[in-house]
Amino acid sequence: SQQGEEDPQALSIQEGENATMNCSYKTSINNLQWYRQNSGRGLVHLILIRSNEREKHSGRLRVTLDTSKKSSSLLITASRAADTASYFCATGPRANFNKFYFGSGTKLNVKP
Amino acid sequence: DVKVTQSSRYLVKRTGEKVFLECVQDMDHENMFWYRQDPGLGLRLIYFSYDVKMKEKGDIPEGYSVSREKKERFSLILESASTNQTSMYLCASTIGAGFQETQYFGPGTRLLVL
């Protein structure tokens, strides 16, 4: 399957610490996106990184993409209790523009 | 800000009932999607639409149909609800012709079929 696989499935940290989540995928992609989902809510787009980009920043978020390893990481620096949520990576396969796959997510708990 | 709204946050229906879930977006997006989200399975695409009156099956269309009579509105229909359709349903939209661009999601509808 093209689905991204997030790792770890669950992560618990203290407020102020950094949180790192990883995503691996199987086939060549056009882009990779990260989304956040607060409990029982819809998904919110965080960052889109294209296949020719290696790193992107947005506020306290840093995303890297390594196409040779077919993996991406999402780093949240100086985490806050409000960052508690599930984080999903989603991939757009190069072979099919009409496909878009979400992983099963990493559940992040930031303890105050 | 893009806004995607869904008609209900929570729904409880009985087996065999016809169920309508409505989604409205206010940014003139061409593409609209219906997903269902189940624990451990992530998001799975049910149907999508790239234009008014146009629809395409996603990965799990069985037991569902859709309607897009106006560009801003995309409805998901469960013709005869079954207990295995108990799930979280998420609507999303994207601008332009790209399927793989940023997806804007509604808040979700949690459906319980008894």
Side-chain angles (χ1 to χ4, degrees):
Chain A
S1 147
Q2 171 62 46
Q3 262 188 336
E5 297 289 336
E6 289 94 341
D7 172 60
Q9 288 188 327
L11 180 61
S12 185
I13 59 174
Q14 291 293 140
E15 211 167 23
E17 294 180 340
N18 295 342
T20 299
M21 288 158 266
N22 302 296
C23 171
S24 60
Y25 56 91
K26 293 185 179 175
T27 63
S28 296
I29 59 171
N30 291 312
N31 67 51
L32 185 145
Q33 302 179 37
W34 285 92
Y35 289 80
R36 183 187 75 228
Q37 184 180 34
N38 291 86
S39 180
R41 308 291 298 187
L43 278 71
V44 175
H45 179 256
L46 296 175
I47 285 187
L48 181 154
I49 186 165
R50 300 198 185 275
S51 59
N52 61 352
E53 297 175 307
R54 291 297 165 256
E55 189 169 310
K56 243 181 156 174
H57 296 255
S58 176
R60 293 183 297 110
L61 306 181
R62 174 179 166 247
V63 168
T64 61
L65 179 64
D66 187 336
T67 52
S68 66
K69 294 181 179 177
K70 292 186 171 59
S71 68
S72 172
S73 67
L74 169 66
L75 168 69
I76 304 174
T77 59
S79 63
R80 305 167 182 167
D83 294 327
T84 293
S86 291
Y87 292 82
F88 295 86
C89 70
T91 52
R94 184 163 294 168
N96 191 335
F97 279 84
N98 281 341
K99 289 291 184 184
F100 193 63
Y101 296 106
F102 287 85
S104 299
T106 291
K107 192 169 281 191
L108 173 66
N109 179 33
V110 181
K111 295 177 280 189
Chain B
D1 267 359
V2 176
K3 197 164 183 188
V4 180
T5 57
Q6 294 183 229
S7 50
S8 305
R9 288 295 317 281
Y10 301 96
L11 270 181
V12 180
K13 296 291 180 181
R14 297 217 172 266
T15 302
E17 279 192 78
K18 192 168 186 174
V19 182
F20 293 86
L21 304 181
E22 288 217 315
C23 174
V24 177
Q25 50 92 4
D26 66 356
M27 285 302 290
D28 205 34
H29 284 178
E30 279 83 2
N31 300 314
M32 296 187 75
F33 310 84
W34 275 106
Y35 294 91
R36 65 178 281 176
Q37 182 180 26
D38 301 287
L41 297 177
L43 273 74
R44 294 180 291 167
L45 182 65
I46 304 171
Y47 268 96
F48 68 96
S49 168
Y50 51 89
D51 202 351
V52 176
K53 297 193 188 295
M54 306 302 287
K55 59 187 179 186
E56 293 284 343
K57 292 179 181 179
D59 299 313
I60 51 163
E62 297 78 19
Y64 303 94
S65 62
V66 290
S67 171
R68 194 166 180 201
E69 296 297 318
K70 292 185 177 181
K71 192 174 186 180
E72 67 270 19
R73 191 180 297 269
F74 191 34
S75 301
L76 179 70
I77 303 151
L78 287 66
E79 297 288 343
S80 178
S82 63
T83 54
N84 63 11
Q85 293 179 308
T86 290
S87 186
M88 172 73 139
Y89 289 88
L90 293 163
C91 174
S93 68
T94 62
I95 196 168
F99 206 99
Q100 298 175 352
E101 297 305 313
T102 299
Q103 299 211 358
Y104 296 89
F105 282 85
T109 296
R110 194 169 291 280
L111 173 66
L112 173 62
V113 183
L114 300 173

